[in-house]
Amino acid sequence: LRHRRLPDVVALAAYAALAAALAVAAAGGGAASAGRAVLGGLVFGGAHALVPALSPRSLGAGDVKLAGSVGAVLAATGWPSVVLGAVAAALLSVALAVGGPRHPVVPHGPGLLVAAWALAVFAGPGPG
């Protein structure tokens, strides 16, 4: 938060952990959840990749890199979590902008991580 950067070691390492978790889930009979997670990662990550293409200063590269793995986690719990996660992350980012120190750049990564954590812990596996 202090440096307003999301290091590659965090954002890209999440994909390795995600791949391992998806492999375990698929092998344990959770192929549907694993498939939904892959699709959710593509959709959520793709939507976040589109934002800087339309407005280059609105979202950092680290946030975009993190979004794919976050979307996969959210989709694994169910499609409603993807929508709720996007809304919750945006609201948390706005809260940082309004309640935090005045700075022209507001990090979106913390909002993404907190929203994903809360929904993964409290939503539980859903029907899709």
Side-chain angles (χ1 to χ4, degrees), residues 16 41 52 55-56 61-62 67 69 71 78-79 81 96 115:
S55 178
S69 57
W79 289 116
S81 291
L96 277 175

Side-chain angles (χ1 to χ4, degrees), residues 5-84:
R5 294 185 51 86
L6 191 58
D8 283 346
V9 71
V10 173
L12 299 179
Y15 286 99
L18 177 64
L22 290 176
V24 169
S33 289
R36 189 172 59 238
V38 170
L39 184 58
L42 291 171
V43 168
F44 202 74
H48 279 76
L50 185 62
V51 171
L54 298 174
S55 178
R57 298 191 68 218
S58 60
L59 200 59
D63 300 327
V64 173
K65 290 179 222 173
L66 182 65
S69 57
V70 167
V73 169
L74 291 171
T77 66
W79 289 116
S81 291
V82 175
V83 175
L84 288 172

